[in-house]
Amino acid sequence: GIRTDDRQQVDGTHPAQGRIWAGGDCVEVHDRIAGTFTAIPLGTHANRHGRVIGRNLAGREARFPGVIGTAVTKVCTLEIGRTGLGEEAAAQAGFDAVAATIESTTRAGYMPEAGPIWVKLIVEPWDLGAAGSCSGAFGPPYREWNER
């Protein structure tokens, strides 16, 4: 795909660098977790790219920060979603990830609408001492992970 900067202007060694704007399925997007560029052709990204390009062309500053790989779809009664990196992509990005699959229900088990749900969690464990695991903003000495 075409690589752009966060303003959606063509970037890098492309001959049109800085003179052409690009968005949608033809561009590579910045993966905020892996720190790499990848092609993820989704309408939600294309829509945001278009808004960023339009605002920048109109003289209003706008930036597209990148993606974390979120996608959700439904086929008949099957619902599928993901966010972040899979196990293989996490390993390729240099993470020492572990995975666990949890089976539960979509609602409290006694509710008639409750159905089965499987959640696969892929994480990189940190030694946070007595506090165990942490989600959200990390305090010292783990502050460097707040931006990952």
Side-chain angles (χ1 to χ4, degrees), residues 9-33:
Q9 275 190 300
V10 172
D11 196 8
T13 59
H14 194 281
Q17 176 182 359
R19 297 191 322 259
I20 294 184
W21 303 78
D25 293 355
C26 68
V27 302
E28 293 180 347
V29 291
H30 179 251
D31 184 318
R32 296 173 66 180
I33 299 172

Side-chain angles (χ1 to χ4, degrees), residues 61-118:
E61 183 70 21
R63 298 186 181 276
F64 183 79
V67 299
I68 58 173
T70 301
V72 179
T73 193
K74 183 175 181 177
V75 179
C76 297
T77 60
L78 177 64
E79 298 173 66
I80 304 168
R82 65 155 289 174
T83 194
L85 302 175
E87 287 177 89
E88 186 176 319
Q92 289 175 350
F95 291 99
D96 186 21
V98 295
T101 302
I102 303 157
E103 183 178 351
S104 188
T105 56
T106 56
R107 293 188 167 92
Y110 56 81
M111 298 293 291
E113 304 88 21
I117 187 171
W118 293 266

Side-chain angles (χ1 to χ4, degrees), residues 48-61:
R48 289 186 187 119
H49 292 162
R51 284 186 279 154
V52 167
I53 292 168
R55 287 182 181 167
N56 284 315
L57 287 172
R60 298 175 63 197
E61 183 70 21

